[in-house]
């Protein structure tokens, strides 16, 4: 900018008319420069399914999507030099197709790393562990001490999740399985008595049991690990994510994040 003004000043000394034209021209160039800087803004497009507290959920007061995963991906993006992240909320079931279609750059959604999914997307290093929990209405009297006790029950799950895959595999022939597009819908069905139990990730079940009239009666030790997914073969992005994720996990930022979303 300084050199531009110097030029203008010199020209102005020679001819005021030329100077006016030049100033106008330079302003136009500067303005277009600003616009193109805006267009070059580095945005990381993130897919999630905001029905999974405390990992991703809609803030009750303003509807904003927030949560552990959201803060984490923002920290990662910042470390990687992105100007901002853009969150796209969709059903869990649509996340991998969105990644494959290039509609989102990454998926962070408490997504379990599984061999089946690893065939179609690439995962970061794991950042969280979970099991599957069996949630019932408080006072339902339903007792579960093994997976077999779920036989004959109406089981609610979220479509496309590891919980859904597990119950279909182990109880598909012996119980009624109802698949919902979101956990919010599955939880509603439980509260309404449309299903007897909901099978879902243990940290989220715990969160639901704090907020609603539901309780965990059994945990299926599935030993799952959550990872951030990118399109298969997107090595550059994945390497960047892993590097940033490792740094964050080894820094006090991680403890702050855990405390913020899992602290009492
Ligand atoms: N961990 C489970 C899975 O990968 C459930 C994840 C559901 N996530 C969500 N944001 N609704 O299948």
């Amino acid at each position: 900018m300084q050199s531009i003004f110097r030029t203008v000043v010199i020209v102005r000394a020679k001819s005021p008319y030329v100077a006016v034209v030049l100033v106008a021209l330079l302003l136009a160039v500067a303005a277009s420069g600003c616009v193109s800087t805006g267009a070059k803004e580095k945005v990381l497009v993130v897919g999630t399914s905001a029905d999974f507290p405390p990992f991703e959920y809609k803030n009750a007061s303003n509807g904003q999507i927030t949560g552990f995963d959201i803060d984490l991906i923002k920290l990662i993006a910042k470390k990687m030099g992105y100007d901002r992240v853009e969150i796209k909320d969709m059903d869990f079931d649509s996340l991998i197709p969105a990644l494959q279609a290039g509609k989102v750059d990454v998926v962070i959604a408490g997504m379990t790393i599984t061999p089946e999914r690893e065939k179609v997307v690439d995962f970061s290093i794991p950042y969280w562990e979970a099991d599957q929990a069996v949630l019932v209405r408080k006072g339902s009297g339903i007792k579960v001490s093994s997976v077999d006790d779920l036989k004959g029950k109406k089981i609610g799950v979220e479509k496309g999740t590891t919980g859904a895959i597990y119950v279909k595999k182990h109880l598909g022939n012996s119980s009624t399985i109802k698949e919902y597009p979101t956990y919010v819908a599955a939880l509603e069905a439980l509260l309404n008595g449309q299903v007897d139990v909901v099978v879902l990730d243990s940290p989220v079940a715990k969160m639901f049991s704090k907020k609603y009239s539901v309780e965990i009666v059994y945990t299926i030790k599935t030993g799952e690990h959550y990872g951030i997914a990118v399109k298969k073969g997107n090595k550059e992005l994945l390497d960047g994510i892993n590097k940033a994720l490792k740094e964050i996990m080894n820094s006090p930022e991680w403890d702050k994040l855990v405390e913020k979303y899992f602290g009492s």
Side-chain angles (χ1 to χ4, degrees):
M1 247 351 195
Q2 246 175 7
S3 63
I4 290 175
F5 281 125
R6 210 176 306 131
T7 318
V8 173
V9 170
I10 293 163
V11 173
R12 182 169 207 173
K14 288 183 183 159
S15 153
Y17 176 71
V18 171
V20 167
V21 171
L22 260 177
V23 166
L25 262 175
L26 286 168
L27 282 177
V29 169
S32 71
C34 290
V35 170
S36 75
T37 312
K40 267 189 260 149
E41 193 191 27
K42 236 183 128 190
V43 180
L44 184 68
V45 183
V46 177
T48 195
S49 187
D51 65 343
F52 205 61
F55 296 97
E56 45 269 334
Y57 57 97
K58 289 196 185 110
N59 185 312
S61 51
N62 60 14
Q64 286 264 336
I65 294 171
T66 175
F68 182 91
D69 282 350
I70 308 303
D71 281 10
L72 178 58
I73 200 69
K74 282 182 183 164
L75 284 174
I76 291 173
K78 200 171 156 205
K79 274 196 188 290
M80 291 178 71
Y82 286 92
D83 298 306
R84 63 181 180 92
V85 304
E86 185 187 322
I87 306 288
K88 288 197 177 170
D89 183 29
M90 59 191 87
D91 290 351
F92 185 75
D93 209 20
S94 309
L95 288 169
I96 288 182
L99 202 53
Q100 289 174 310
K103 287 182 192 152
V104 297
D105 300 318
V106 303
V107 164
I108 189 161
M111 186 177 271
T112 303
I113 303 169
T114 69
E116 293 74 27
R117 289 175 183 159
E118 276 180 318
K119 283 181 196 150
V120 290
V121 297
D122 287 335
F123 282 103
S124 71
I125 55 164
Y127 68 90
W128 204 263
E129 279 176 25
D131 293 307
Q132 292 296 311
V134 179
L135 206 59
V136 302
R137 275 181 307 283
K138 251 184 204 148
S140 71
I142 296 176
K143 294 211 164 39
V144 181
S145 48
S146 73
V147 173
D148 275 354
D149 290 343
L150 294 174
K151 283 185 179 160
K153 299 262 184 301
K154 275 190 201 152
I155 307 173
V157 290
E158 179 175 77
K159 199 163 191 268
T161 58
T162 46
I165 296 163
Y166 184 93
V167 298
K168 280 203 261 181
K169 186 172 168 200
H170 294 90
L171 299 153
N173 301 322
S174 51
S175 52
T176 311
I177 297 163
K178 293 199 175 186
E179 294 185 272
Y180 296 93
T182 65
Y183 277 125
V184 172
L187 182 72
E188 243 163 52
L190 180 64
L191 292 168
N192 293 338
Q194 285 158 8
V195 295
D196 303 314
V197 305
V198 167
V199 174
L200 78 168
D201 295 45
S202 47
V204 180
K206 202 170 158 192
M207 214 41 84
F208 280 159
S209 68
K210 280 187 193 164
K211 277 194 74 184
Y212 303 91
S213 188
V214 293
E215 59 189 347
I216 298 173
V217 288
Y218 186 66
T219 303
I220 309 167
K221 298 267 174 226
T222 50
E224 300 174 43
H225 297 275
Y226 295 169
I228 301 166
V230 302
K231 193 174 186 171
K232 192 129 205 80
N234 196 347
K235 192 175 175 332
E236 199 186 329
L237 181 58
L238 189 62
D239 287 349
I241 289 172
N242 277 333
K243 185 170 174 275
L245 182 56
K246 270 182 215 157
E247 277 172 27
I248 294 164
M249 288 177 83
N250 286 315
S251 82
E253 281 173 302
W254 182 256
D255 306 309
K256 256 171 63 187
L257 205 56
V258 172
E259 178 58 30
K260 178 171 175 192
Y261 289 102
F262 293 90
S264 45

